Amino acid sequence: MSKSLKAIDLSMTPIPLPPQKSPNSPESSPNTGPTWDIRTLLQKCIAERHGGSHMEELVMGECNLDTDMIDRVVDAVMRCGIRRLGLASNSMTREGLEHVIRYLQQNKCEGLDLGGNDLRENLYLLADALDENNPLYALSLADCNISPASLSSLLPALVRLPNFRFIDLSHNRELFKTRPNALGLLRKYLPQFPLIKRIHLMDVAMTSEHAIALAEILPEIRTLAHLNILENHLISGLASAKNEAEQEEACALYASLMAAVRVSNSIVCIDIDIPSQDSGEVVKALAKQVVAYSLRNMERLPLTENSDTAIAALVDPHGGEKPVAVPDVLLHIVGHMDGIPENHDNDEPAPDDDYIVGGTGVVKALGICLNRAADQRKGSRDMSPAGSGAVTPRNVIKEAEVHKGKAKEMSKNLLSSARKIRARLQPALVKEARSGNEMSYKRLQYLDTTLERMIQRFEDEYPETRLKPSATPFGETTRHHRSSSAPSAESSEAEAVDPATVTTDLEEDSATALKPALAQHPSEHSLASRQNAEEGRMHRFGQRMRRDILPPNTLDYAHGTTGTEDEPQHLQDLRSRVEAFTGEEIQANVQAVGIDKVLEIIGATKEELRELERRGGGGESKVIERLLSWEPSGENEADTATVARQ
C-alpha cells in the first residue's frame, strides 16, 4: 500500500522452484482456499501494487531466476512501470534475454543491470532493441564474457541513445586479451556519446599502453566525469614500481592521465592505483597532479545538470581561477608551466635520475600515441593475406596517400612537456660535462637525443605542431638545424657530444655557453661517441623486435605480456632461430642495411611461417634455412631485396 516506496532490492534471495504437485492432489479445499506458490505471489505483488505505480527500481541479482521466472518478473515490471531493473548473475539464457528485450522495447527502461550473465553470443539482440527513442541511460555488462566482436555490434547502438550516461564493462578480460582488442572500438565510439559521464573498465586485462592510448581520446568525450581502470594487474603493478624501467613505464602512464585531465574540462575522477611509498618522486608527483587537475575541473562544474548551460560551462574557457599547484620535483624537470606565475627555467638542474625517468616516460607515451596513429592508417590499407610464395603483404595505398589527421590535444600537451624537459636538460648536460662524469653525461645526452627525435617524429606526423623559429625552446634551434642538414639518420647518430669536446667556452655567461660544442667533422668523433650511437641503434632494434615481431615470453609490463600466454608454433620456431644469431651477426646486418630492412626480412619470415602453419605445415625448415643463411652485403642491397621476395 506504500506510495513512498521507490526501490526494492531482493539480491541473493533465491526464488524457489514451484512445488511439485501430485496428480491426485486437489487445487484447493474448502478450509484452506486457493494455494499460491511464491513465484506467482511475487509477480502479482509487483504488478498489482495497491499503492500505485510509484516504484522505480527492482533489483534481483543472484536470485536463481530461471527463464519462466524472468518472464514473470518482466511482465510484472512492465505493468508496474518500473524504470530500473537488475537481473545480474542469474545464468540468463537466450530465451531469458528475449524477455528482457520486451521490456527494453517498451521504451520505459532507464537502467539495466545484466552483469554476471554470459551474453557473448546474444549481445546483438540487445543492440537491435535500442533506437534513438529509448530512454536508457545506464547499462551494466560486467562479467558478461564479452569479446571485441560482440561489443562492436553494441557500441554503435548505444551511441544513438540521447540520454546514455553510464556503461560498466568490467571483468570482461577478453576485451583486451584478444587480438584485435577493443581499444580501437572504444577510441572510435566513446567520443561520439553525447552525454556519457561514467565508464568502468575494471579487470579487463588492460595494459599501460592500452590506458595511454585510451587517455589520448578522453578529452574528446566532452561530458566524461569518471573513469575507473582499477584491478587491471598489469597497471596495478606499476603503482609499486621500483626499478628504473618500471618507473619509466609508470611515468608514461601517469603523465598521460595527467595530460588528459589537464586538457579536459569535465573529468573529475580517474580511479587508478595510487603509487606506493616505494615509488619514485616523479611518479608520485604525476599521480598527485591527476588528482589536482580533477579537483580543478570539479570546481568548474555548474550546479545544475542536463542543461545547455551546463554543457556550455564545460566547453567555454574559464577565467579568474587559482593556478593548480605543481610539485617542485616536476617544476625542476619542466621549468615554466602554463598557469604558474613563477618561472623556474633558471632553477638548478634536477637530479639526473628525475630527468631520465620523467623524460623517458614522456617519450614512451608520445611513442604510443604515434603508434596508434600509424595503426589507424594501416587499417585503411589493403592488408589481405599474401599469395603463395610472397612473404610480405602488399599495400595498395601508399603511406603518403593516407590522411594523417590532426594531433589530439592530450598528445600535444605531452609534446609541450617533452620540449620543456629537453630545454631544462641542457644545463644538466653542461653540469655533467664540467664535472667530468662521462657515464652520467652519456645517459643525459642519450635522453636529449631521444627527446629530439621523438619531437621531430611527432612534428613530421603532425606538421601543424611545429613551432616558429622565434618560439623554439632553448637549445632546439641548433639541434633541429643539425638534424635537418645531416645527410642521413645514421650520420646524425654519430654527431653525439663528447665531454672531451666541451671547451672553456662553457665558462662564459652567455646563452650559447650552455650548449656543448659539437664536433664538426667525422674524424673528430671520439670512440665513446661512436659506441654510444651504436648502443642506441641496437637498443632501438631490440625495442622494435619486442614490440612488432616477437613479444617477450616473460612478465613484461612494457609490452603487455604475463609469461603465461600460449605462443603459436610459428613464433616458437622463429624465436629459436633468431636467438641462434650472435650479437655480432645481428649488429653487422643492422650496419649493412639498416634497422628497417632487417626487421622487414625477419617480419616477412614470420608472416610466411604463420601462413604455412595456417595451411597445415610443411616447408618451415626451408624458410628457416633461408633466414639463417642470410648474410646481406652493405655494398649491394639487391641481395636483400631478393631474399625478401623469396
Side-chain angles (χ1 to χ4, degrees):
M1 294 293 291
S2 174
K3 295 183 179 181
S4 61
L5 186 63
K6 298 293 184 181
I8 297 179
D9 188 349
L10 299 176
S11 297
M12 303 182 70
T13 306
I15 305 300
L17 295 174
Q20 297 294 329
K21 297 181 180 180
S22 61
N24 299 325
S25 62
E27 292 292 331
S28 61
S29 65
N31 296 327
T32 61
T35 59
W36 298 91
D37 69 89
I38 191 172
R39 300 156 68 91
T40 305
L41 182 62
L42 180 61
Q43 178 185 4
K44 285 186 172 291
C45 288
I46 297 174
E48 302 174 6
R49 293 187 68 245
H50 294 292
S53 56
H54 299 287
M55 194 163 66
E56 299 177 357
E57 181 177 340
L58 175 64
V59 180
M60 299 188 69
E62 296 185 57
C63 287
N64 194 30
L65 305 181
D66 58 10
T67 301
D68 175 68
M69 192 60 204
I70 292 176
D71 183 20
R72 292 170 180 264
V73 170
V74 168
D75 283 338
V77 165
M78 292 173 65
R79 292 180 61 185
C80 183
I82 289 176
R83 287 177 284 177
R84 298 185 296 276
L85 177 62
L87 296 175
S89 302
N90 281 298
S91 303
M92 187 178 296
T93 63
R94 178 189 175 96
E95 290 74 16
L97 181 61
E98 288 174 346
H99 293 308
V100 177
I101 297 300
R102 289 193 292 111
Y103 173 48
L104 275 177
Q105 291 174 334
Q106 193 186 28
N107 284 348
K108 290 185 179 180
C109 177
E110 296 179 349
L112 185 61
D113 183 3
L114 299 177
N117 298 295
D118 190 349
L119 304 178
R120 184 185 188 119
E121 303 299 330
N122 303 313
L123 200 60
Y124 71 94
L125 297 174
L126 190 64
D128 293 342
L130 300 174
D131 57 35
E132 59 275 5
N133 297 319
N134 200 295
L136 184 70
Y137 69 78
L139 177 63
S140 174
L141 297 172
D143 194 20
C144 287
N145 193 27
I146 298 175
S147 66
S150 54
L151 189 64
S152 64
S153 64
L154 179 64
L155 287 181
L158 294 177
V159 166
R160 297 196 300 266
L161 302 180
N163 298 313
F164 193 76
R165 302 179 191 177
F166 168 69
I167 186 169
D168 187 355
L169 298 173
S170 302
H171 308 294
N172 290 292
R173 297 185 178 180
E174 292 297 314
L175 290 179
F176 287 92
K177 285 182 67 175
T178 57
R179 294 187 180 182
N181 56 48
L183 180 61
L185 289 169
L186 296 175
R187 283 173 57 95
K188 177 180 179 180
Y189 287 108
L190 288 181
Q192 299 181 34
F193 282 90
L195 284 177
I196 194 164
K197 290 183 176 291
R198 190 166 184 170
I199 303 168
H200 284 194
L201 291 169
M202 300 171 60
D203 187 27
V204 291
M206 182 184 290
T207 66
S208 62
E209 182 173 343
H210 297 145
I212 292 170
L214 185 63
E216 189 183 18
I217 58 97
L218 293 182
E220 298 180 3
I221 313 174
R222 62 175 188 166
T223 58
L224 180 65
H226 185 188
L227 173 69
N228 190 332
I229 54 174
L230 290 169
E231 299 182 25
N232 289 286
H233 68 283
L234 292 177
I235 294 178
S236 299
L238 296 178
S240 56
K242 296 181 180 179
N243 62 56
E244 188 172 287
E246 290 180 346
Q247 288 197 41
E248 291 170 358
E249 194 72 20
C251 180
L253 173 63
Y254 289 105
S256 300
L257 294 175
M258 183 196 71
V261 180
R262 183 182 181 187
V263 172
S264 170
N265 289 318
S266 62
I267 298 176
V268 297
C269 180
I270 291 186
D271 280 330
I272 187 171
D273 295 272
I274 301 173
S276 66
Q277 292 298 321
D278 296 331
S279 297
E281 293 300 321
V282 176
V283 175
K284 289 190 286 189
L286 289 170
K288 181 179 179 181
Q289 288 308 101
V290 175
V291 178
Y293 285 113
S294 297
L295 293 175
R296 179 207 65 179
N297 291 341
M298 186 178 296
E299 293 177 354
R300 292 177 173 179
L301 287 178
L303 296 178
T304 59
E305 290 188 15
N306 307 329
S307 65
D308 295 336
T309 304
I311 295 177
L314 295 176
V315 177
D316 292 343
H318 301 263
E321 297 176 334
K322 295 181 180 179
V324 176
V326 180
D328 290 341
V329 64
L330 296 184
L331 289 176
H332 283 302
I333 295 176
V334 300
H336 176 67
M337 293 189 67
D338 297 336
I340 304 297
E342 298 86 3
N343 192 322
H344 295 263
D345 288 341
N346 298 321
D347 288 359
E348 283 295 316
D352 291 354
D353 288 343
D354 289 353
Y355 284 119
I356 297 297
V357 171
T360 306
V362 171
V363 167
K364 285 185 176 182
L366 279 173
I368 290 171
C369 295
L370 288 174
N371 291 339
R372 290 305 307 174
D375 291 343
Q376 289 175 358
R377 292 200 307 275
K378 189 182 299 183
S380 62
R381 305 172 190 163
D382 181 8
M383 299 298 289
S384 55
S388 177
V391 293
T392 309
R394 180 171 55 89
N395 297 335
V396 176
I397 302 178
K398 296 181 180 179
E399 183 173 351
E401 299 174 354
V402 180
H403 180 61
K404 293 184 177 181
K406 292 185 177 181
K408 300 186 183 300
E409 292 300 320
M410 173 271 200
S411 53
K412 287 195 291 186
N413 191 276
L414 286 175
L415 176 65
S416 175
S417 298
R419 287 176 173 142
K420 292 175 181 177
I421 292 174
R422 184 163 179 254
R424 284 285 297 159
L425 193 60
Q426 307 309 311
L429 279 167
V430 173
K431 179 182 177 182
E432 295 299 342
R434 287 172 174 169
S435 67
N437 190 334
E438 186 174 357
M439 181 59 67
S440 297
Y441 181 88
K442 284 184 177 181
R443 294 180 69 206
L444 293 181
Q445 189 222 7
Y446 180 74
L447 174 61
D448 181 54
T449 304
T450 304
L451 284 166
E452 176 191 8
R453 289 176 180 163
M454 180 55 68
I455 293 170
Q456 185 64 48
R457 181 184 166 194
F458 197 94
E459 291 176 348
D460 291 341
E461 183 75 21
Y462 303 108
E464 73 275 9
T465 61
R466 290 195 178 102
L467 296 178
K468 296 180 181 180
S470 59
T472 303
F474 173 81
E476 187 81 12
T477 305
T478 301
R479 288 189 176 271
H480 179 73
H481 174 73
R482 185 194 71 188
S483 62
S484 61
S485 61
S488 66
E490 298 297 329
S491 63
S492 66
E493 289 178 6
E495 295 189 10
V497 184
D498 182 39
T501 65
V502 181
T503 65
T504 56
D505 293 338
L506 293 174
E507 302 297 330
E508 300 177 6
D509 294 330
S510 63
T512 55
L514 293 177
K515 291 181 283 188
L518 300 177
Q520 300 298 320
H521 304 287
S523 59
E524 299 178 16
H525 297 151
S526 66
L527 177 61
S529 299
R530 292 195 297 272
Q531 181 180 1
N532 189 28
E534 184 60 33
E535 289 175 356
R537 186 187 301 112
M538 296 307 297
H539 175 72
R540 291 193 302 278
F541 173 78
Q543 288 289 339
R544 291 181 59 181
M545 273 286 292
R546 290 188 289 273
R547 184 188 67 198
D548 300 334
I549 299 177
L550 287 174
N553 54 6
T554 59
L555 177 63
D556 192 294
Y557 294 118
H559 299 87
T561 58
T562 63
T564 60
E565 295 87 355
D566 293 331
E567 191 171 57
Q569 185 61 43
H570 73 276
L571 285 184
Q572 297 179 26
D573 294 339
L574 182 62
R575 187 185 301 277
S576 62
R577 297 311 187 271
V578 169
E579 290 175 352
F581 284 114
T582 64
E584 291 76 11
E585 290 173 333
I586 294 178
Q587 183 177 1
N589 290 332
V590 170
Q591 289 177 339
V593 297
I595 294 175
D596 292 337
K597 183 61 67 175
V598 174
L599 291 173
E600 177 184 342
I601 292 175
I602 297 177
T605 305
K606 171 185 173 181
E607 294 297 326
E608 189 169 2
L609 288 171
R610 177 161 50 191
E611 183 67 16
L612 289 174
E613 182 179 354
R614 188 182 66 82
R615 295 177 181 176
E620 291 90 343
S621 59
K622 186 179 297 184
V623 175
I624 294 297
E625 187 177 321
R626 185 165 66 241
L627 177 63
L628 286 174
S629 62
W630 173 59
E631 295 179 358
S633 170
E635 300 177 356
N636 185 10
E637 294 190 11
D639 297 337
T640 305
T642 303
V643 173
R645 288 194 298 269
Q646 289 178 344

